[in-house]
Each structure stands twice: as C-alpha cells, then as structure tokens.
Amino acid sequence: MNTRCNHFFLSLALCLMAVALQAAPKTAVDYVNPYMGNISHLLKPTYPTVHLPYGMLRVYPQRDSYVESEIHGLPLMLVNHREVFSMNISATQREGNRLESVITTDFDNELITPYYYKSDIENQNVGVEFSPAAHAAMYRFQFVRKSPGYIIVNAHNGEISVTNREVKGFQHTWGGVKVYIYAVTTEAADEFGILQGKAMDTKKTSERGDGACAVMKFTSSKNVNFKYGVSYISVDQAKENLMKEIGAADFEKVKAAAKQAWNAELGKIKVEGGTENDKAVFYTSLYRVCERPVMISEYGRYFCPVDHKVKTATHEVYTDDWLWDTYRAAHPLRLMLSPDIESDILNSYLDVARDGKQWLPTFPAVTGDSHRMNCNHGIAIFLDAWAKGIRNFNLEEAYQFGRNAIEKKTLAPWRDSKAGKLNAFYEANGYIPALHPGEKETYPEVDGWEKRQAVAVTLGTSYDQWCLSEMASYLGKSDEANRYLAASYNYRNLYNAETAFFHPKDSAGEFIQPFDYKFSGGIGARDYYDENNGWTYRWDVQHNVGDLVNLMGGNERFTRNLDKTFTEWLGRNKYEFYSQLPDQTGNVGQFTMGNEPSLHIPYLYNYAGKPWKTQKRVRDLVHQWFRNDLMGVPGDEDGGGLSAFVVYSMMGFYPVTPGMPCYNIGSPFFSRITITLPNGKVVKIQANGCSEENKYIQRATINGKSWNKPWFEHNDIANGATIVMDMGNRYDSKWGSGSQMAPPSAKAYPGK
C-alpha cells in the first residue's frame, strides 16, 4: 500500500475516532454545573463544592464569590456548610526566603466538577488538580519551572509535624472541635521543616500554636502527589481513612471512582427530552441536594457533636443540616431516592437529642445543635418517614423528643434555652404575642436581633403540633393526638378575616394597628414574620390548606388572593425593598422564589380547583429564576433547600406537606423521567408532547387507570408506577378541578 493510501486511512481513522468521541453520551454528572449561582442576587452565592455525595470531606476554592480574582491557598476540608474551613495548603515556586503560611494568588484555567478541581496557580508557576473520597482526598501538583517547588501546610492554631514524605497534625476549629490530618506524598521531599517568618527552618520538624505550618521542598520532582485523610477522631484514624479510601491508587483512579460515585447517585433519576439547559439545571440541583448533611462516622466510630466524645457507631452518623430550609423538600427527596441514608440521618438526630437536652435539633452541626431560625421542623422529617413506610427508627423517642422541643425548650427563635414565659403564653392563648412598634421587650428568652417573630412562630408551631398529632395517632395515643390536632389550628387565632392575612396580635388579643403586610416588622420583618413579609406568611399553613381556602371564603376568593401574590407591586423601589427584606429575593410580585417558605405556594392552586394555574406558574418560576448560569439561583441555597424544589418540580410533582404521604402534581419538564427506587422498582413518568409550550395536562393515567386528581399518594409510586400525561399548549379547565379532587388537608378540628 502506498504512502498516499496510508495517509488516507490514517486520516479516516482519526475522523471516525473524533466522531465517536463527540457522540459519546453524557452521563448525569456531566450535566452538573457547580458554577450555577456562584454570583448571588443579593446575599450568599452558591459555592462550587467538590465532594462525594454526603461525603465528610468537602472543598471549594477559598474565595468569597466567583468574581474574586484571587484564591487564598487551597482548602483541605470544609467543616460547616459555606462557613468554616480547616487547614490550608499552598504550592509555590517562590524563592525560599519569600514563603508564606497562606499564599494569596491569582489563578487561571479553572475547571470544577463535583468530583474534580483543576487550576493554574499562575504567579506561583504551579498547576493543581484535586479529587476526593469520603474522608480522604488527593492533590496533584505540577511544578512548571526547573527551580524548586514548595508545598506549605498550615494548621493555623493547631499542631503539625513533617518528614520527607508525611505531614500530620490537627487544627482547633469551630467551637473548639479538632480536625486531624494525615498526609503522605508519593515523592520524597528534598528538604522539610517548619515555616519561620518567610523561610523554612529545617532544624524544626514540629510546631504547635499559631505558627504550626509545615514546608516541604522538592528540587527534583516536577509532579508531586499529596494524599491525605481527615478525621474528627485522631491522626491515626485520619491515616486509616486515607489507607482504606485511597491507599496506593493513583490520581486518575481516585478521580474515576469519584465520578462513578456521583453517577450512581445522580443516575437514580434519568431524564429524557427537554433542553440541554433544563438537564443542566435539573442535575445541578440534584447535586446540590447531595451536599448535606455529611457523614461523620469513620469506620465504626464517630466524634459525637454533643459531648465531643469518641463513640461506637451503630449506624452511619450525619450532621450539618439546616432543617428550617431542608425539611420541606430535600429530606422528602432523599427519603424517596436513598431511604437508608435518610434513616441513618434520622437516627443521628435522635442521638443528638438523647446525648443532649432531650429535644430534637434544629440546625445540627459538628459542634452540636447550632439552633438557628425558628420552630422545630425536625419533627416533620420523622413523621414524613414514618408515613411513607420507613420503620427503622424509634417513633416513640422521636415523638417524645419532638414534644420536648415545643414544650420544654423555648419557642423564641435562635435559642435553645428552657421554656419560659413565651411558651406559657402560647400554651394558654394559642398564639405568640407581638409587641407594638417601639414597645420594649419583656421576655428575657427573646434574642435582641431576631425578635419574637410572632406570626411565623405561631404558624410554624401549629404545623409542628399537627406533626405531633399524626405521630401520636400512629402510636395509639388518641387523647394526645386530639390535643395536638386542636393546637394545630392555632393559626386561626391570628387570621384577620377583614384582610385575609395572618396578622400579629398583642398580649391583650388586639391586632397590631396600623399595619403594613409588606413592611411592618423591621429588618427582615422579624418583629412579626421572619426573612419574608406578611404576603409570604399568608400561605404558611401547609398542613391545612383546605381550611385556609375556607377561611378566605372559598375557591374563587382563595384563587384571587393567590393571583394577587404574583402581581402585587413591591411597594417601594428595589433598593428600599431589599434594604429591609434582603432575603426576599426572586420576586414575582410579592412572591419570593429565593426563600424556602415560598416553595409550596405555586402548588396551592390545586386546592382551589385551578391546577392549570399551578402548571403554568411552576414552569414559569423555574425558567425565570433557575438557570444554567452564574446567577442561576435566586436566593440562599441552604444545602438543598431551594434545589430540591427544582428537582421535584421538573419531575412534575411536589410534597406540599411533609408528613402527609402525597404529592401535588405540577408540570413535568421532560418527556420521559425514570426514577429507580431502592427496592429495584421503577417509576416511569411519560409526558407525551411535552415541550416548553406544551405545559398543560390534558389527560393522565397511573398504571393504566384514568387519573383526574392533581395529586397522588406515596403508595401509588412506592412499588413502582407508570404515569402517563398527555400535554398540550392550552389548559384544560376540567382536568383535576372537580370539587372532590383537592389534595388532602389536616383532619377536622376535634369535636366538629
């Protein structure tokens, strides 16, 4: 064969190979964009976190937001969601007399996926790559020049020691908790020591206190692999974690294993059809749900957040969870996809109560319950699990710890002290009393900044007490069930029939007047509501929407009020509005897509016989506010709080009431959705004709049976199901609108 033929066939082979590579189908994790939302609309952005699903070891570049031009060294571990880092590693080819404990530097050519980080540390002449395991990780450094390269590990206010291949030690971090590290380089350092000033002191190999900073110098190695394990228990445990999870594996194997772990988790839901952007938003949102809580058990043992003792683990132990945000959708989603993980999470929170003050946590962290926000919605995740058939936790304990959270712990926001006068008033009168503007606080348990949040706490506690009522029913405690059911109607005590809003009352039972439902209540409306104004809390009766429909005068008035929420003017210019209500972002009228108390609101049309309005509104909101770009998240993404709304809504259904085993139907974004359940069964959702325009349900079947309700029960899909929807571009006012078609609400008030 002549040379010309050789060239022809070689070119043909290369072309075919290129086509094959281009045609390779994307996996689920390939759609994830960790940069989505990295520029915030107002408050906190999202961060491009690299980790395994629910893995303890998480990192992201140490900068405040995407627009920052510099990074501050490289992270070794994130202790608390977006707040606290432990230890720091820097790499440089600077001269030895110009070293720093943390090198602030520019960067270039950055690439981040859930399982991989890469960047060029330009003015340090270093390329860096990173990939994680659950309690361990690996950095790969490439030194560009022929001159020596340095790796600097800063333990801050801890203790560190170094040899030619090892770095080990600990750092005191948030709340005095210690994070331990054991690291090994696969290449031997030519020199090593402790950083003193701007240079390495080779005569010292260990240090403690603020100067605990180790340096390794490499003169002959162009590439250095830095493997490390972390632990809350000990250096030895950190070493064991490293050996078990990475061991002798090279970087590519660690990276491949991390990618496989993500595809296994994200691949539990497969979507087909829709746009590439919709798929990116969907899988990025699912990735965000898997960031927290994190598993802190370490091969049979764990550091107890409550008493800071090392204990034997009888289940995997989880923490770092902001329940006020995540109970609404993130926990129900995990319950559907990974009930074993959710069960371990529930048992972890029972441990917190059992080891601590005998009440359920609200914001469990590695330092214990940081008790932020208001109410006690951890109760809801236990009820939701039990109502959906999960039985491997102690319901009696959950019930008792839940009761204690409401009756023995103060209802004052952001406090975990014992119950005081505020609780006594609520118990006697069925609402939290509000102060008039300028009136001095008289309850010592109330925080000076967070205020009483009188309406928000009344409504939220009413829901928590409904959860207790349902738990008591499961336990056969009928008297207690009826007592808590009656208390679950306490929201009525603040309903103002003249305005159809929930309106704060003073201790004499009089409505606070004059009153503005948009702006009364100070910063964040915290005197009366919380982070959101009265227009949001007008709908905060998620356990009894049917009763709210009745209070407002029936379906038509309810619908008009709901419509008005999406059309009402902010009331001031944006600067003035957000200077008082900075959390209330993502506005459509007075509706706020950027804060969790609003998530269920667009689904409420289903309760008033107008499901097509839910279908349109949900589609509009997701496309308006959740986008595959740097500003694609409308508010604080608190560990899956907002993102779980997106995942559910794009699948076409949503759990309006955690604890009530049913889902409201919206409008699927994809023509075919396949959910693989842990029992091996499959839920198939087929949306015939689905497109951006065809968002309205014309007909539906579940398992071949005609379906005309805008909701279905968990049991309808628990053992697999086939849901078929015929979609069109015009709404059908008959589908799902009959008088008996509304989703369920709480049981009738006892005695009526």
Side-chain angles (χ1 to χ4, degrees):
M1 187 178 293
N2 62 35
T3 303
R4 184 174 296 175
C5 287
N6 280 334
H7 286 164
F8 171 77
F9 284 109
L10 177 60
S11 298
L12 179 61
L14 290 174
C15 288
L16 291 173
M17 184 182 299
V19 170
L21 289 173
Q22 290 177 354
K26 282 186 176 181
T27 62
V29 74
D30 294 329
Y31 283 103
V32 175
N33 176 14
Y35 292 108
M36 179 177 152
N38 283 190
I39 299 176
S40 67
H41 289 254
L42 198 59
L43 298 177
K44 283 282 188 179
T46 62
Y47 293 94
T49 311
V50 185
H51 59 107
L52 294 194
Y54 310 110
M56 185 175 85
L57 196 153
R58 302 165 287 174
V59 305
Y60 58 77
Q62 292 197 245
R63 58 176 182 251
D64 292 332
S65 76
Y66 178 84
V67 298
E68 293 292 316
S69 300
E70 297 177 324
I71 55 173
H72 310 288
L74 298 163
L76 289 176
M77 181 174 170
L78 179 65
V79 175
N80 189 52
H81 173 65
R82 79 186 188 192
E83 291 182 339
V84 181
F85 276 106
S86 176
M87 299 196 178
N88 186 281
I89 185 169
S90 298
T92 183
Q93 287 197 300
R94 285 181 176 177
E95 295 300 320
N97 62 354
R98 296 177 57 236
L99 301 178
E100 297 178 64
S101 59
V102 176
I103 296 177
T104 296
T105 180
D106 62 359
F107 60 96
D108 197 10
N109 300 322
E110 185 180 77
L111 172 66
I112 302 181
T113 74
Y115 58 89
Y116 175 67
Y117 168 81
K118 180 185 81 71
S119 183
D120 293 331
I121 314 301
E122 280 294 281
N123 62 5
Q124 308 303 315
N125 303 302
V126 178
V128 59
E129 295 173 278
F130 171 89
S131 195
H135 308 82
M138 187 173 180
Y139 274 105
R140 179 161 67 181
F141 298 105
Q142 301 93 38
F143 294 112
V144 176
R145 294 179 177 176
K146 292 182 180 180
S147 57
Y150 296 85
I151 292 177
I152 304 164
V153 183
N154 185 3
H156 302 289
N157 59 334
E159 182 177 307
I160 204 163
S161 64
V162 59
T163 70
N164 67 333
R165 286 187 181 272
E166 291 182 335
V167 177
K168 56 186 178 181
F170 66 84
Q171 180 192 344
H172 294 284
T173 184
W174 184 37
V177 172
K178 289 182 179 179
V179 175
Y180 297 90
I181 182 175
Y182 174 84
V184 60
T185 58
T186 52
E187 299 75 22
D190 297 285
E191 296 181 37
F192 56 91
I194 297 298
L195 184 66
Q196 298 289 326
K198 298 290 184 179
M200 175 177 58
D201 183 351
T202 58
K203 295 180 181 179
K204 294 188 68 175
T205 59
S206 64
E207 185 63 280
R208 63 172 53 196
D210 291 337
C213 186
V215 183
M216 306 177 85
K217 178 181 179 181
F218 301 87
T219 57
S220 56
S221 299
K222 297 293 292 181
N223 299 303
V224 176
N225 294 305
F226 185 91
K227 303 179 178 182
Y228 68 99
V230 294
S231 173
Y232 287 117
I233 296 173
S234 67
V235 168
D236 288 342
Q237 185 64 52
K239 182 176 181 179
E240 181 182 343
N241 295 344
L242 172 61
M243 294 301 107
K244 286 184 174 180
E245 295 177 6
I246 294 180
D250 62 18
F251 186 86
E252 294 304 325
K253 287 184 178 178
V254 175
K255 179 182 173 184
K259 183 175 183 179
Q260 183 179 13
W262 271 110
N263 273 326
E265 189 65 32
L266 301 179
K268 292 175 181 177
I269 307 176
K270 180 181 179 182
V271 297
E272 301 171 69
T275 67
E276 291 296 285
N277 272 343
D278 281 347
K279 290 175 182 175
V281 170
F282 179 83
Y283 283 115
T284 301
S285 299
L286 187 54
Y287 144 79
R288 290 287 176 199
V289 175
C290 298
E291 184 179 347
R292 293 194 301 156
V294 296
M295 183 180 71
I296 61 168
S297 45
E298 306 178 44
Y299 299 99
R301 297 192 299 162
Y302 74 102
F303 170 85
C304 178
V306 177
D307 59 19
H308 292 194
K309 295 179 180 178
V310 176
K311 298 183 178 181
T312 300
T314 57
H315 55 82
E316 300 294 2
V317 180
Y318 290 81
T319 194
D320 195 14
D321 188 8
W322 298 358
L323 286 164
W324 188 86
D325 307 281
T326 59
Y327 86 91
R328 304 167 195 268
H331 279 274
L333 182 61
R334 189 180 304 109
L335 190 65
M336 176 186 293
L337 299 176
S338 305
D340 289 346
I341 293 177
E342 183 67 16
S343 295
D344 285 340
I345 292 168
L346 297 175
N347 281 302
S348 298
Y349 298 168
L350 289 179
D351 290 341
V352 172
R354 196 181 301 115
D355 294 336
K357 297 182 177 180
Q358 308 296 299
W359 52 61
L360 292 178
T362 59
F363 269 54
V366 72
T367 56
D369 184 11
S370 59
H371 197 79
R372 312 185 200 190
M373 303 304 289
N374 57 46
C375 301
N376 296 278
H377 298 324
I379 299 169
I381 67 174
F382 286 92
L383 171 62
D384 198 47
W386 198 268
K388 293 173 181 173
I390 302 301
R391 295 290 183 268
N392 49 351
F393 66 92
N394 190 318
L395 182 65
E396 177 67 37
E397 272 194 311
Y399 173 67
Q400 295 300 337
F401 292 150
R403 292 180 66 190
N404 291 349
I406 291 175
E407 296 171 359
K408 294 187 177 181
K409 177 178 67 64
T410 181
L411 292 174
W414 289 72
R415 292 298 181 96
D416 65 347
S417 54
K418 292 183 178 180
K421 294 180 179 179
L422 198 66
N423 291 57
F425 188 98
Y426 179 83
E427 178 67 23
N429 299 280
Y431 70 95
I432 298 294
L435 298 174
H436 290 268
E439 187 177 355
K440 187 176 180 180
E441 180 59 69
T442 57
Y443 291 152
E445 63 264 40
V446 177
D447 179 82
W449 166 254
E450 288 299 330
K451 311 297 184 183
R452 294 185 182 183
Q453 302 177 11
V455 177
V457 175
T458 299
L459 301 183
T461 302
S462 299
Y463 169 67
D464 292 340
Q465 290 178 306
W466 173 79
C467 292
L468 287 179
S469 173
E470 292 292 294
M471 294 169 81
S473 292
Y474 282 117
L475 292 166
K477 303 175 186 289
S478 58
D479 290 343
E480 292 177 23
N482 285 333
R483 178 165 67 88
Y484 286 121
L485 179 60
S488 79
Y489 280 78
N490 280 342
Y491 59 84
R492 287 180 172 180
N493 295 325
L494 296 184
Y495 186 74
N496 187 333
E498 292 185 6
T499 64
F501 280 85
F502 290 103
H503 194 130
K505 284 181 178 178
D506 61 20
S507 58
E510 300 295 327
F511 287 127
I512 301 292
Q513 296 290 1
F515 198 80
D516 184 339
Y517 294 114
K518 294 176 183 175
F519 298 112
S520 289
I523 296 296
R526 285 178 171 85
D527 286 354
Y528 310 122
Y529 304 104
D530 182 24
E531 295 190 349
N532 303 269
N533 63 22
W535 282 82
T536 296
Y537 283 93
R538 189 181 200 180
W539 310 103
D540 198 30
V541 189
Q542 61 195 107
H543 63 291
N544 211 347
V545 182
D547 189 51
L548 186 58
V549 172
N550 293 333
L551 285 175
M552 289 187 176
N555 287 353
E556 296 308 315
R557 289 186 180 179
F558 181 89
T559 299
R560 286 199 297 271
N561 291 338
L562 198 49
D563 286 342
K564 189 67 173 174
T565 301
F566 293 100
T567 60
E568 178 70 12
W569 179 49
L570 289 182
R572 297 175 184 172
N573 63 49
K574 286 185 177 181
Y575 172 80
E576 292 176 306
F577 184 89
Y578 292 124
S579 65
Q580 182 179 342
L581 296 160
D583 297 274
Q584 198 161 332
T585 54
N587 286 92
V588 178
Q590 285 292 325
F591 174 82
T592 172
M593 190 71 262
N595 206 272
E596 285 80 5
S598 294
L599 298 185
H600 68 293
I601 293 175
Y603 287 90
L604 298 186
Y605 289 108
N606 286 348
Y607 294 82
K610 305 289 192 300
W612 65 89
K613 285 180 172 282
T614 282
Q615 293 158 32
K616 178 184 186 302
R617 186 61 70 184
V618 170
R619 280 288 198 100
D620 288 348
L621 288 169
V622 171
H623 279 147
Q624 286 164 349
W625 290 111
F626 296 93
R627 305 178 313 277
N628 183 26
D629 61 46
L630 289 166
M631 296 188 73
V633 177
D636 275 0
E637 172 36 82
D638 295 311
L642 291 180
S643 293
F645 166 85
V646 177
V647 175
Y648 267 124
S649 293
M650 295 185 85
M651 290 194 295
F653 58 101
Y654 184 77
V656 166
T657 311
M660 197 172 283
C662 63
Y663 304 92
N664 271 249
I665 295 175
S667 176
F669 284 57
F670 306 100
S671 58
R672 189 175 181 86
I673 302 159
T674 305
I675 307 168
T676 302
L677 302 176
N679 59 8
K681 304 294 185 180
V682 174
V683 177
K684 296 179 181 179
I685 302 172
Q686 183 174 322
N688 297 323
C690 176
S691 68
E692 191 164 340
E693 187 178 66
N694 293 344
K695 53 182 170 283
Y696 296 107
I697 299 171
Q698 311 295 302
R699 290 166 297 278
T701 63
I702 295 183
N703 296 328
K705 178 183 177 182
S706 180
W707 199 264
N708 199 36
K709 296 186 294 186
W711 62 279
F712 56 84
E713 294 185 21
H714 180 76
N715 283 340
D716 291 323
I717 64 170
N719 291 304
T722 298
I723 302 173
V724 179
M725 302 178 188
D726 294 332
M727 311 298 293
N729 64 354
R730 303 279 183 183
Y731 70 81
D732 182 346
S733 62
K734 294 181 180 179
W735 188 87
S737 62
S739 59
Q740 303 302 314
M741 298 301 176
S745 293
K747 298 171 186 174
Y749 193 89
K752 291 190 177 182

